Amino acid sequence: MSAETLIYACLSVPLVGAAFIVLAGSYPNLREAVTLCTAGFLFLCVAHLVPTVASGFRPSITLLEMLPGLSIAFTIEPLGMIFACVASFLWIVTSIYAIGYMRGHHEVNQTKFYFFFAISIAAAIGVAFAGNMLTLFIFYEVLTLCTFPLVTHHGTDETKKAGRIYLGILIGTSIGFQLFAIVWTYVLTGTLDFTEGGILAGKADGPIITILLLLFMFGVGKAALMPFHRWLPAAMVAPTPVSALLHAVAVVKAGVFTVIKVIVYLFGLETLNGSDGSLYLAIIAGATLLISAVIAFRKDNLKARLAYSTISQLSYIVLGAAMATGAGIVGASMHIVMHATAKITLFFCAGAILVASHKTEISQLDGIGRRMPITMGCFLIGCLGIIGIPPAGGALSKWYLMMGTAESDHLIFMFVWMGSSLLSAGYLLPIVLRAFYSGSKTKASVQSKGGGTGIQEAPALCLIGICTASVLTIGAFFIADDLAGFLSPIAGM
Amino acid sequence: MMDQFAGLYNYWIFIVLMMIGFYIVMAQHNLIKKVVGLNIFQVSVFIFYISMSKVEDGSAPIIAEGITVYSNPLPHVLILTAIVVGVATTALALALVVRIRDSYGSIEEDEIEAEERRREKHF
Amino acid sequence: MLMLNLPALQVVLPLIAAPICLLLRRSDWAWLWATIVTWCCLGIAICLLSKVLSTGAISYPIGDWAAPIGIEYKIDLLSAFLLVIVSSIGAVVLPYAHASVSSEIPEARIYLFYTMYLLCLCGLLGIAVTGDAFNLFVFLEISSLSSYVLISMGRYRRSLTAAYRYLIMGTVGATFYIIGVGMMYMMTGTLNMSDLANRIPAVEDTRTIQVAIAFIVVGLSLKLAIFPLHMWLPNAYTFAPSVVTVFLAATATKVAVYALLRMIFTVFGGDPLFVIGEILMILSVAAMFVGSLVAIYQTNIKRMLAYSSIAQIGYMVLGISFITTTGLAGGIIHLFNHALVKGALFMAVGGMFFRIASVRLDDMAGIGKRIPITTGCFVVAGLGLIGVPLTAGFISKWYLVSAALEKDMWLIAVLILVSSLLAVIYIWRVVEVAYFRAPPKRAAVMSEPPLSMLIPLFILTGASIYFGIDASRTIDIAMAAANFLMTGVAQ
């Protein structure tokens, strides 16, 4: 199969899968088999494209011309390739996990859940492969709209409120700022194609670059820069697999992915270096990074703490990109992978704890590690990934991010990296400590209350998902070098 | 100065009639009176068209021996059309008023509004 | 022979068909007759558009009386485009009308309804076809008078007062328009539009012409419900029968926009245009915000959509007020897109009304689960109204924002985007009630509206998506029309 055909395949497989999921709706086993097959097949298609892209070829297709001179087009370059790989592979893992979770937790409307899940993945692939900013924007919006039914899955008043925040912020910022910036860019340059070196180079002067950059960055609400981060904690009302894949991987990564794309291909590193914009962006990202880490300390709800940790980690990526240096871009792109694997592990564990024990607050977790050793062991690995301690992959992306900062003019941000590591260790490790070392009393009470049916490990399918994710977290450490090599062309290294 | 008033008297009549009609449409609360106002308003326009096509010392636009100066027939024809439209409008308006009176029992705008507010709060 | 007389047939066909409809009396026959005639009209309109695209503007002297003495029908790209919009909406609405009308209008009056429908269509098509300023007035009144009747056929008694108020405002508007035309005639001695365009520049600075322009613009603005002359519109749309609301919302205001375009660009051109543009710009921005803000607080969906129409008319007029090619193209394309989107929205609401006999937001609780297809179409069309990418609304917003940025009007560009966020709020209010509120306990199980209502709904909803994905054809036409109109400005 040629690379072009594969692009079509990647885009259509999840959609076809979604159609079959609906058709198989009344047979749960068949439906979930379809989901798994679709996910597997999608990953095969995506993986097939990797060698082509690695050899320096950039396959490209134009779907149709939407407006004269502006088409819906797809071009694959290393960054998008990596994002697509992450999203499609983690879809398989999440599907396995989701089957266990949804059944174990007796969720309703499961067909709707799997259907919109597949559509969301299609949108994420669309974002990853987009060949110009218009296409990216379109899929970005589709992603927002088709994750909305997942966020409001339970249909209660609480989810309705969360859904309002979710849509309000994401649609509001994207139409209010991002679309405005896109049209402005188009009026300035006459094109929206992603071009190496940036299309805005030489087309606009300093202040306009700064304004445009800020419009783009706040416009990408999915990157959760403060003060437009509220949607992410709100989205945690969704079932855990949704939080895991969408709000740790597909949706938020689509946001930071857009940030890197815009910086690399619309502005260009040189243009950005020449303006004050990058400094302002770095300050905003740095502030978000530290503030949200501090907020995470104060959250007792496990998913909420993870959500604020996600906001903080997303700002790593934005901050890295804002340095506008080669190593910074590579580090930022690499951190997409590292954070995705680590954070999905953590969310899976949180979901497993919920299924097995119906506990959502950290203060209730005393001694749970002795009951669920596998889950909490994997949780520890996830924590290492987030903090950035070897042998988890997070260590290496952080290394590149710090190198990027060292190369830039803004050395002061080195302190941000240092501080952030300490903060993340501070809000994550106590959970592990609490789970393994404290609260023998609680354990006794659980036993006495629950009789013989005390807390046990999560369903087997959940465990498979968790273990796979944690293996990936460590495995990413060993492929980091290849990743850097794969990414170096976009960073001009 | 005199010319402005006396020479263009037909236009002054048009303007005065138009304003009277327009004022009635806006200020009256009685639906029938509004229709009458609308009529005056329209008729003023007819007068405007008809009088502007009159040529000094011109006769009716009939081609006949010895007649060289005659008024412009086109606006007259136009106004025939406009009169038809005006009649249709008036007829329709009156028909509506009859129906309104049947269902509200009043043709006073404020009474109708009070009735609407009382009965159909949800709109 | 037939091909040559198409411009006349376009108008004469529904005009003659209307009295025949009156004679048929049986409601089913009247419906069938009206349907056949409107579809023929659509065929004619498409023929005319393709002819204009291939050979350029068509000029047709009525009764072989050459312009400027006789009445000339003139069809250029813009009018052909409008003909297609109006007649296709007219044709798509009729299959929908069969079930909807028989549930909302007494059996004995149905044939009258179709008679009026045909007359209204005739008037609207006539406005698009004619090249004569006075003839335009006549068609304007034909369409207005029949639409007053159509509105008054609603099943509320407030339909009557709504129709009455619309009649008063509409007649004042039309009379203003003929006063303006009369004054132009005094100064130029012609009523033919292209003739007027040639002669006006010579007398442009006289006070008479300036007053004439003012009268015409105000008169047409009343018809097209530009803020603050919109007071007639919400009640008229709310209390009219569902079908009438669909038809009028999708066509009547659009045709009025066309008339305004025609007069200010083709006829006036030049300097007055820029003064009008500035005034219209302020009014249209105000309309965008006032319309949307008021829409947010409505509890009746039809009224909510009516206020949204006022806001959307603001977008069209805003596009016109830039007086640039991009802006005009944006206005024209929005005219088309909004016809599709608002038509689909009102059709969906009509479908809900058909089943639950209410258009109050509170009665919509859980309707998304009870009649999912109709509600789904409402949501999709609603996204089009907001201007989400891949829907028609996005294309128009794109052009409007580009036009504002081209003229360095940053503020206006931001306002366009912010106001479309207001649309998110009012559409989302409906979505929340429809999907997240539990249906009333004693609610009976209900089925979707009949297929005859669903298919037209699908067509319009589908079109609002299709023209958002593949807009190049419509954009080409709008651009060409805008270019043509702009040549009037340059002269």
Side-chain angles (χ1 to χ4, degrees):
Chain A
M1 261 202 290
S2 74
E4 282 75 16
T5 331
L6 275 172
I7 303 181
Y8 284 113
C10 292
L11 292 165
S12 51
V13 163
L15 294 177
V16 176
F20 278 111
I21 287 170
V22 172
L23 289 179
S26 34
Y27 310 97
N29 289 331
L30 182 60
R31 177 187 66 205
E32 280 141 30
V34 169
T35 305
L36 277 177
C37 290
T38 315
F41 191 59
L42 175 67
F43 179 67
L44 278 184
C45 292
V46 173
H48 239 80
L49 280 163
V50 174
T52 324
V53 178
S55 68
F57 185 58
R58 301 281 178 267
S60 164
I61 56 168
T62 301
L63 207 56
L64 48 87
E65 198 174 14
M66 188 168 152
L67 298 167
L70 277 177
S71 45
I72 299 188
F74 300 94
T75 307
I76 306 185
E77 40 72 61
L79 185 56
M81 194 66 243
I82 284 182
F83 179 43
C85 282
V86 170
S88 60
F89 188 71
L90 290 181
W91 188 25
I92 307 179
V93 182
T94 312
S95 296
I96 299 172
Y97 176 82
I99 296 167
Y101 177 88
M102 298 299 270
R103 292 187 175 187
H105 207 231
H106 306 293
E107 292 276 358
V108 291
N109 283 336
Q110 294 194 19
T111 306
K112 185 181 116 186
F113 169 85
Y114 288 111
F115 172 75
F116 280 108
F117 219 112
I119 305 274
S120 307
I121 295 294
I125 299 286
V127 169
F129 288 171
N132 58 42
M133 195 58 208
L134 182 68
T135 314
L136 199 157
F137 178 70
I138 289 168
F139 283 97
Y140 179 96
E141 293 289 38
V142 172
L143 189 56
T144 309
L145 289 176
C146 59
T147 48
F148 175 77
L150 293 172
V151 172
T152 56
H153 187 79
H154 295 301
T156 57
D157 275 347
E158 192 198 351
T159 55
K160 193 163 85 181
K161 218 167 122 194
R164 260 188 216 160
I165 298 174
Y166 186 74
L167 267 193
I169 293 183
L170 289 184
I171 297 260
T173 50
S174 66
I175 291 185
F177 301 132
Q178 196 188 348
L179 180 60
F180 181 56
I182 292 173
V183 181
W184 195 350
T185 309
Y186 183 68
V187 170
L188 283 175
T189 63
T191 177
L192 285 176
D193 291 341
F194 290 127
T195 315
E196 286 185 25
I199 55 172
L200 277 162
K203 293 281 171 47
D205 47 356
I208 292 193
I209 292 283
T210 306
I211 296 172
L212 264 180
L213 182 70
L214 293 182
L215 279 175
F216 266 119
M217 293 306 132
F218 284 125
V220 184
K222 289 193 170 88
L225 279 181
M226 282 184 178
F228 299 109
H229 66 286
R230 282 281 304 131
W231 64 271
L232 187 55
M236 290 302 143
V237 298
T240 308
V242 175
S243 307
L245 184 57
L246 299 178
H247 303 113
V249 182
V251 173
V252 290
K253 292 304 182 296
V256 285
F257 171 76
T258 311
V259 166
I260 301 179
K261 275 278 228 195
V262 165
I263 286 180
V264 174
Y265 292 110
L266 293 189
F267 287 93
L269 298 184
E270 280 178 26
T271 318
L272 207 59
N273 265 326
S275 85
D276 302 334
S278 67
L279 179 61
Y280 295 138
L281 178 61
I283 292 172
I284 295 165
T288 308
L289 198 163
L290 295 176
I291 294 171
S292 53
V294 172
I295 295 176
F297 263 107
R298 300 168 44 86
K299 293 288 171 189
D300 190 39
N301 183 298
L302 182 54
K303 276 175 87 178
R305 186 174 287 191
L306 293 180
Y308 275 99
S309 154
T310 306
I311 297 174
S312 173
Q313 296 284 318
L314 291 175
S315 286
Y316 274 48
I317 299 172
V318 179
L319 183 55
M323 292 298 128
T325 55
I329 297 292
V330 170
S333 316
M334 213 193 268
H335 201 64
I336 291 185
V337 183
M338 304 309 178
H339 175 244
T341 49
K343 194 45 80 53
I344 205 168
T345 312
L346 293 181
F347 269 112
F348 280 173
C349 294
I353 293 169
L354 178 68
V355 171
S357 70
H358 303 286
K359 294 197 189 313
T360 54
E361 307 301 310
I362 293 164
S363 52
Q364 299 168 333
L365 296 185
D366 288 346
I368 204 160
R370 271 162 285 177
R371 288 271 157 196
M372 305 176 69
I374 306 179
T375 308
M376 290 319 289
C378 294
F379 192 89
L380 177 63
I381 296 174
C383 291
L384 297 183
I386 298 290
I387 304 164
I389 304 174
L396 288 173
S397 58
K398 211 163 206 180
W399 170 261
Y400 273 97
L401 286 169
M402 289 172 93
M403 275 207 334
T405 312
E407 280 175 21
S408 77
D409 311 332
H410 314 306
L411 282 176
I412 183 93
F413 288 101
M414 288 302 253
F415 292 107
V416 175
W417 298 123
M418 309 283 184
S420 73
S421 294
L422 289 176
L423 283 171
S424 47
Y427 63 72
L428 283 175
L429 289 180
I431 306 175
V432 182
L433 291 179
R434 188 187 275 267
F436 281 110
Y437 293 110
S438 70
S440 50
K441 281 179 211 154
T442 329
K443 182 183 151 198
S445 70
V446 166
Q447 271 180 335
S448 61
K449 267 186 199 168
T453 60
I455 302 166
Q456 293 169 345
E457 275 291 359
L461 283 172
C462 286
L463 284 183
I464 296 177
I466 294 172
C467 293
T468 323
S470 49
V471 168
L472 284 175
T473 310
I474 296 186
F477 183 83
F478 299 100
I479 59 160
D481 213 34
D482 297 327
L483 267 182
F486 187 66
L487 283 165
S488 54
I490 64 163
M493 282 168 75
Chain B
M1 190 61 191
M2 229 12 229
D3 266 10
Q4 291 264 315
F5 289 95
L8 299 173
Y9 71 94
N10 52 331
Y11 296 122
W12 287 108
I13 293 174
F14 149 64
I15 289 169
V16 169
L17 275 181
M18 181 175 99
M19 285 306 151
I20 292 173
F22 199 44
Y23 177 77
I24 296 174
V25 172
M26 293 296 136
Q28 276 296 335
H29 287 293
N30 182 303
L31 299 186
I32 295 279
K33 287 183 183 167
K34 263 179 182 293
V35 176
V36 172
L38 199 63
N39 256 303
I40 297 175
F41 181 52
Q42 285 183 310
V43 166
S44 74
V45 180
F46 303 162
I47 291 176
F48 165 61
Y49 266 74
I50 293 167
S51 63
M52 85 182 169
S53 65
K54 169 71 180 163
V55 177
E56 292 277 309
D57 301 327
S59 80
I62 302 167
I63 299 178
E65 213 47 39
I67 294 174
T68 49
V69 183
Y70 50 88
S71 297
N72 183 352
L74 183 67
H76 296 173
V77 179
L78 295 179
I79 282 320
L80 272 181
T81 320
I83 288 171
V84 174
V85 171
V87 170
T89 312
T90 313
L92 180 57
L94 291 176
L96 280 173
V97 175
V98 171
R99 291 277 313 277
I100 288 173
R101 173 160 162 98
D102 281 350
S103 47
Y104 287 89
S106 168
I107 53 167
E108 293 295 328
E109 210 166 35
D110 37 2
E111 288 175 24
I112 293 172
E113 266 167 25
E115 175 85 5
E116 281 177 353
R117 260 198 295 278
R118 196 164 62 238
R119 286 281 177 81
E120 290 158 54
K121 270 205 180 107
H122 52 279
F123 282 113
Chain C
M1 185 59 195
L2 191 68
M3 284 305 282
L4 282 179
N5 288 321
L6 280 182
L9 270 179
Q10 178 81 83
V11 182
V12 171
L13 187 66
L15 186 63
I16 293 180
I20 296 178
C21 196
L22 199 61
L23 295 174
L24 286 173
R25 294 197 82 93
R26 285 266 304 274
S27 57
D28 283 344
W29 291 1
W31 171 77
L32 192 65
W33 174 243
T35 311
I36 294 169
V37 170
T38 43
W39 281 90
C40 289
C41 281
L42 175 60
I44 296 173
I46 291 172
C47 283
L48 282 171
L49 180 64
S50 63
K51 210 165 149 190
V52 171
L53 279 174
S54 59
T55 60
I58 305 170
S59 169
Y60 179 89
I62 289 286
D64 268 344
W65 288 90
I69 310 262
I71 295 172
E72 183 196 20
Y73 280 3
K74 186 141 194 196
I75 303 175
D76 57 17
L77 199 51
L78 181 60
S79 34
F81 188 46
L82 194 78
L83 285 178
V84 172
I85 297 176
V86 172
S87 55
S88 54
I89 297 281
V92 172
V93 164
L94 268 179
Y96 175 88
H98 189 257
S100 178
V101 164
S102 46
S103 78
E104 288 181 36
I105 294 175
E107 172 75 19
R109 287 203 212 126
I110 289 183
Y111 73 103
L112 292 172
F113 172 86
Y114 290 113
T115 310
M116 283 300 149
Y117 186 88
L118 286 172
L119 273 182
C120 190
L121 184 68
C122 161
L124 295 174
L125 294 173
I127 295 172
V129 162
T130 189
D132 183 282
F134 194 85
N135 199 229
L136 195 148
F137 161 74
V138 175
F139 282 123
L140 197 64
E141 281 300 74
I142 291 179
S143 66
S144 305
L145 283 169
S146 44
S147 56
Y148 309 145
V149 179
L150 287 173
I151 290 166
S152 72
M153 283 181 167
R155 56 196 236 157
Y156 308 97
R157 55 181 183 169
R158 291 189 70 177
S159 312
L160 298 170
T161 46
Y164 180 85
R165 264 167 221 157
Y166 182 21
L167 182 140
I168 298 287
M169 297 295 267
T171 310
V172 169
T175 312
F176 269 29
Y177 174 80
I178 47 168
I179 292 172
V181 170
M183 288 175 171
M184 289 205 300
Y185 180 71
M186 278 171 73
M187 299 305 289
T188 60
T190 180
L191 288 169
N192 183 287
M193 287 183 192
S194 36
D195 223 24
L196 275 170
N198 291 331
R199 297 192 197 180
I200 280 183
V203 287
E204 198 174 78
D205 294 330
T206 57
R207 192 167 297 164
T208 316
I209 288 291
Q210 285 163 357
V211 173
I213 291 174
F215 267 118
I216 288 178
V217 172
V218 173
L220 289 176
S221 304
L222 259 168
K223 280 281 175 196
L224 95 144
I226 294 182
F227 176 85
L229 303 174
H230 64 276
M231 301 309 285
W232 59 268
L233 187 142
N235 274 342
Y237 280 13
T238 311
F239 299 110
S242 309
V243 176
V244 176
T245 314
V246 174
F247 184 61
L248 291 184
T251 57
T253 45
K254 313 295 175 290
V255 171
V257 172
Y258 164 84
L260 185 72
L261 273 175
R262 205 37 8 145
M263 291 313 285
I264 64 179
F265 281 90
T266 311
V267 176
F268 306 147
D271 294 337
L273 200 51
F274 293 93
V275 183
I276 300 172
E278 273 171 31
I279 298 169
L280 287 183
M281 185 174 293
I282 296 165
L283 294 183
S284 53
V285 171
M288 276 153 45
F289 279 88
V290 174
S292 303
L293 284 173
V294 177
I296 291 173
Y297 292 100
Q298 297 307 312
T299 52
N300 174 317
I301 295 199
K302 270 174 104 177
R303 185 181 285 264
M304 179 193 93
L305 292 177
Y307 275 106
S308 132
S309 275
I310 292 165
Q312 302 290 323
I313 289 164
Y315 289 116
M316 292 171 222
V317 176
L318 181 67
I320 296 169
S321 71
F322 288 128
I323 323 214
T324 59
T325 313
T326 320
L328 263 180
I332 295 169
I333 201 81
H334 193 55
L335 190 151
F336 174 68
N337 292 339
H338 180 247
L340 297 176
V341 167
K342 205 35 92 48
L345 282 171
F346 273 123
M347 267 192 187
V349 173
M352 296 172 188
F353 183 78
F354 187 79
R355 280 299 179 220
I356 62 173
S358 168
V359 285
R360 288 178 58 200
L361 194 56
D362 292 339
D363 296 333
M364 299 281 167
I367 202 168
K369 284 169 194 130
R370 298 167 78 196
I371 44 175
I373 301 179
T374 313
T375 320
C377 287
F378 182 91
V379 175
V380 172
L383 294 178
L385 192 70
I386 298 167
V388 173
L390 295 185
T391 62
F394 177 70
I395 308 287
S396 8
K397 298 269 158 72
W398 177 277
Y399 271 81
L400 290 174
V401 174
S402 317
L405 290 178
E406 269 175 16
K407 284 195 93 179
D408 284 342
M409 293 177 170
W410 315 113
L411 187 63
I412 302 276
V414 174
L415 290 178
I416 294 172
L417 293 171
V418 171
S419 70
S420 51
L421 290 177
L422 295 176
V424 178
I425 300 177
Y426 60 74
I427 291 294
W428 222 257
R429 282 182 67 217
V430 182
V431 172
E432 279 193 355
V433 173
Y435 287 96
F436 296 111
R437 208 179 281 176
K441 287 235 172 59
R442 53 193 164 69
V445 179
M446 61 169 70
S447 54
E448 295 280 343
L451 215 54
S452 68
M453 289 174 82
L454 283 182
I455 291 175
L457 177 60
F458 290 154
I459 295 177
L460 286 187
T461 316
S464 76
I465 296 289
Y466 176 79
F467 288 107
I469 295 173
D470 183 11
S472 4
R473 273 196 76 75
T474 42
I475 285 286
D476 283 346
I477 295 180
M479 270 296 189
N483 268 321
F484 180 76
L485 286 175
M486 287 304 290
T487 54
V489 178
Q491 66 173 329

